Amino acid sequence: MKLEVLPVHGLGEVQVGDNIAALILAATTPVTNDVVVVTQKIVSKAENALVEVDPQDPLSHKPIVEQESVRVLRRRGDLVISETKHGFVCANAGVDRSNLNPNQAALLPTNPDRSARRIRSGIRRQAGVDVAVIVSDTFGRPWRRGVTDVAIGSAGIKPILDLRGSTDAVGRELQVTEVAIVDELAAAAELVMGKAENIPVAIVRGVDAEWFGAGSITADLIRSATQDLFR
């Protein structure tokens, strides 16, 4: 399998109410079985998941973090690690002030899977091609420095590639291996989008046809509290 990761240039500044599918199609021509990766920030902008903050106070979004958290797991200085209503465990409940007007902060989309389905449906309706869509966001990780992009919403692609019951290269049966393919594709897409280049969409081409299908990030990818050894 050979993958291509293609940045999508020319989307311009996304505004409240914009049709993301239409913006993507005006900038590029996806083909069937492409995976279109869209950053959370432009989804939040288009869906008006924005709140007012004090541009003079770098901590004025902290009360909003508390409101967006269903549970706070850790605090250290100004950093809050919390669980969102979606079930994501992340810094500051996903509330973000980067790449926005100084008086704005972005919240996570209310239902990122639904957002992905809407974009996918729009591309199929307007261009007649069947793609998968991933909504991505930047998360930190326990035990490791640095951040990486992960999937917070998806449509048309299986979140998990379940390899349990198959065999490895030496014939040993795999017992626990489940690959978070949507996270891996989101991370690959981020390599061409960057954090400061204003490229909020990328296309991953050449994905194995077996990876396409139904699924939900919240239902399939988030480990339940009963299975999570660290909550």
Side-chain angles (χ1 to χ4, degrees), residues 7-12 26-28 192 197-199 201:
V8 176
H9 298 274
L11 261 75
T28 191
V192 301
E197 285 78 7
N198 197 27
I199 303 173
V201 176

Side-chain angles (χ1 to χ4, degrees), residues 93-135:
V95 178
D96 188 5
R97 297 180 67 168
S98 65
N99 294 313
L100 290 167
N101 293 330
N103 65 333
Q104 289 181 324
L107 311 179
L108 294 179
T110 300
N111 186 329
D113 282 327
R114 183 176 61 200
S115 301
R117 290 194 298 269
R118 184 181 296 120
I119 297 168
R120 180 179 185 237
S121 176
I123 292 174
R124 182 169 51 204
R125 183 176 61 254
Q126 297 172 53
V129 295
D130 195 10
V131 302
V133 172
I134 292 172
V135 177

Side-chain angles (χ1 to χ4, degrees), residues 77-169:
D78 297 328
L79 176 64
V80 174
I81 302 297
S82 64
E83 182 178 344
T84 73
K85 59 182 178 293
H86 318 79
F88 305 139
V89 175
C90 56
N92 296 323
V95 178
D96 188 5
R97 297 180 67 168
S98 65
N99 294 313
L100 290 167
N101 293 330
N103 65 333
Q104 289 181 324
L107 311 179
L108 294 179
T110 300
N111 186 329
D113 282 327
R114 183 176 61 200
S115 301
R117 290 194 298 269
R118 184 181 296 120
I119 297 168
R120 180 179 185 237
S121 176
I123 292 174
R124 182 169 51 204
R125 183 176 61 254
Q126 297 172 53
V129 295
D130 195 10
V131 302
V133 172
I134 292 172
V135 177
S136 67
D137 198 8
T138 301
F139 276 34
R141 301 158 299 159
W143 308 300
R144 300 179 74 90
R145 295 176 61 186
V147 295
T148 186
D149 272 25
V150 300
I152 63 169
S154 68
I157 189 165
K158 302 171 186 175
I160 291 283
L161 182 63
D162 190 351
L163 298 180
R164 293 174 297 177
S166 62
T167 54
D168 64 14

